[in-house]
């Protein structure tokens, strides 16, 4: 499994669960990429304001300079900054949301990374019934999954906890939805913070998702770096090994007590898993 750490380029998300922030996007990237490489991370995961910034922020140069990969790109600024949602009652907003993600997929694919659909999935409320919202979500995932495939990437769909969505909060339900819809190019982003709230047994839930697990947000139960809460990281790692997961463990966590310590705790927690390498059964 590969390691990644998050870098936030969105000023509205300065209090959000990302390790590296900056007073400017350039500063966040400069510091985030340098420290990620020095600490031995394989990659960074970037949360940009949108496709234009992702294309123009100098990320490609920083990745090359530091020998880092790009693990994934978050699309949440479409919601945080522009209030776009794939399940909005207004069709024009749904289309704008889809277009925003489509453009992000193009830029992210050029940088070798998949795009994440998290908060942009929205929720069912008001005139939008649950059935309507699921239909809108399915249509968007079909369209964007095909678009990502055309760019040689998968698309990542992230179930969120009940305080952030009322669509899919458990990874097993999301997996059944993706399988039922035949969404073959859409994989699950399993965020251990959300799973800690929603799953009876996070390790078993990961095993049930099998090869649909496409990315992991490596966060402890309190959304601080792994080792700060009560998540049983060893059993999670064994579950991921059991299903042959070879993707990223990416630290989408608060910079607690500070970014440097959060990054160090994360890489230490991932290195500690190497000692479990011989245990491949649950
Ligand atoms: C995004 O990866 C996520 O986990 C959400 O909680 C952000 O709102
Ligand atoms: Mn997440």
């Amino acid at each position: 499994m590969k390691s990644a750490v998050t870098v936030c380029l969105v000023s509205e998300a300065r209090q959000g669960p990302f390790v590296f922030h900056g007073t400017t996007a350039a500063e966040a990237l400069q510091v985030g990429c340098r420290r990620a490489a020095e600490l031995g991370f394989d990659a960074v995961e970037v949360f940009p304001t949108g496709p234009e910034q992702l294309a123009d922020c100098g990320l490609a140069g920083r990745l090359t300079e530091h020998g880092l990969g790009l693990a994934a790109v978050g699309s949440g600024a479409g919601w945080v900054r522009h209030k776009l949602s794939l399940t909005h009652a207004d069709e024009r907003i749904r289309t704008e949301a889809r277009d925003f993600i489509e453009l992000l997929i193009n830029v992210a694919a050029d940088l070798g990374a998949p795009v994440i659909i998290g908060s942009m999935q929205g929720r069912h409320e008001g005139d939008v019934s649950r059935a309507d919202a699921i239909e809108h979500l399915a249509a968007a995932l079909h369209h964007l999954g095909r678009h990502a495939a055309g760019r040689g990437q998968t698309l990542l769909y992230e179930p969120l906890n009940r305080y952030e969505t009322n669509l899919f909060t458990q990874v097993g339900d999301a997996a059944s939805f993706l399988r039922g819809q035949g969404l073959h190019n859409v994989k699950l982003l399993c965020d251990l913070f959300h799973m800690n709230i929603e799953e009876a047994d996070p390790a078993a839930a990961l095993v049930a998702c099998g090869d649909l697990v496409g990315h992991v947000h490596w966060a402890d139960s309190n959304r601080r770096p792994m080792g700060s809460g009560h998540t049983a990281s060893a059993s999670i790692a064994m579950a991921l090994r059991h299903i042959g997961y070879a993707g990223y463990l990416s630290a989408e966590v608060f910079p607690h007590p500070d970014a440097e310590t959060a990054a160090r705790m994360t890489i230490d927690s991932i290195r500690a898993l190497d000692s479990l390498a011989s245990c491949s059964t649950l």
Side-chain angles (χ1 to χ4, degrees):
M1 286 178 277
K2 298 172 284 186
S3 58
V5 62
T6 45
V7 182
C8 175
L9 310 184
V10 181
S11 52
E12 292 92 330
R14 207 160 275 159
Q15 305 302 317
F18 307 100
V19 173
F20 291 108
H21 300 256
T23 48
T24 62
E27 184 194 82
L29 269 185
Q30 187 195 347
V31 174
C33 291
R34 180 172 53 78
R35 288 308 291 144
E38 286 169 355
L39 289 165
F41 281 93
D42 297 306
V44 288
E45 177 177 321
V46 173
F47 188 73
T49 57
E52 297 82 10
Q53 186 202 43
L54 188 67
D56 298 338
C57 64
L59 176 58
R62 292 281 175 218
L63 296 176
T64 307
E65 178 187 349
H66 295 293
L68 289 167
L70 182 62
V73 171
S75 63
W79 166 248
V80 172
R81 188 167 269 208
H82 308 291
K83 296 294 171 250
L84 299 176
S85 155
L86 294 170
T87 55
H88 199 279
D90 184 339
E91 189 186 348
R92 282 170 310 173
I93 305 236
R94 294 201 300 274
T95 304
E96 241 188 279
R98 206 188 61 188
D99 293 348
F100 178 90
I101 296 173
E102 202 175 291
L103 292 175
L104 204 53
I105 287 171
N106 295 346
V107 184
D110 287 345
L111 295 163
V115 165
I116 298 165
I117 295 179
S119 52
M120 280 194 75
Q121 70 192 274
R123 48 173 53 242
H124 68 86
E125 59 193 350
D127 291 340
V128 181
S129 68
R130 179 172 174 84
D132 291 339
I134 300 289
E135 202 178 305
H136 296 326
L137 180 66
L141 292 181
H142 276 291
H143 178 94
L144 294 168
R146 269 195 307 273
H147 186 77
R151 299 281 172 152
Q153 282 295 332
T154 53
L155 181 66
L156 297 171
Y157 170 65
E158 180 177 22
L160 303 173
N161 73 69
R162 67 191 68 185
Y163 307 106
E164 297 186 40
T165 190
N166 53 13
L167 298 178
F168 293 104
T169 55
Q170 292 192 309
V171 296
D173 292 340
S176 303
F177 165 67
L178 296 184
R179 288 189 179 114
Q181 286 284 336
L183 284 159
H184 304 299
N185 195 43
V186 183
K187 300 279 183 194
L188 287 171
L189 193 181
C190 296
D191 181 321
L192 296 171
F193 165 70
H194 299 303
M195 293 180 73
N196 161 69
I197 296 171
E198 299 296 344
E199 308 291 346
D201 181 342
L206 288 167
V207 170
C209 291
D211 64 2
L212 273 183
V213 180
H215 194 66
V216 172
H217 277 161
W218 185 249
D220 214 322
S221 51
N222 48 9
R223 217 168 205 181
R224 290 178 177 175
M226 193 60 85
S228 311
H230 56 75
T231 294
S233 58
S235 70
I236 298 289
M238 280 194 276
L240 290 169
R241 284 215 180 88
H242 185 74
I243 58 174
Y245 179 71
Y248 285 99
L249 302 179
S250 183
E252 189 191 60
V253 298
F254 291 113
H256 181 88
D258 53 64
E260 178 67 22
T261 311
R264 272 182 194 280
M265 285 182 71
T266 295
I267 198 70
D268 288 350
S269 73
I270 294 174
R271 288 197 176 125
L273 303 177
D274 292 343
S275 58
L276 298 167
S278 53
C279 315
S280 59
T281 52
L282 286 175

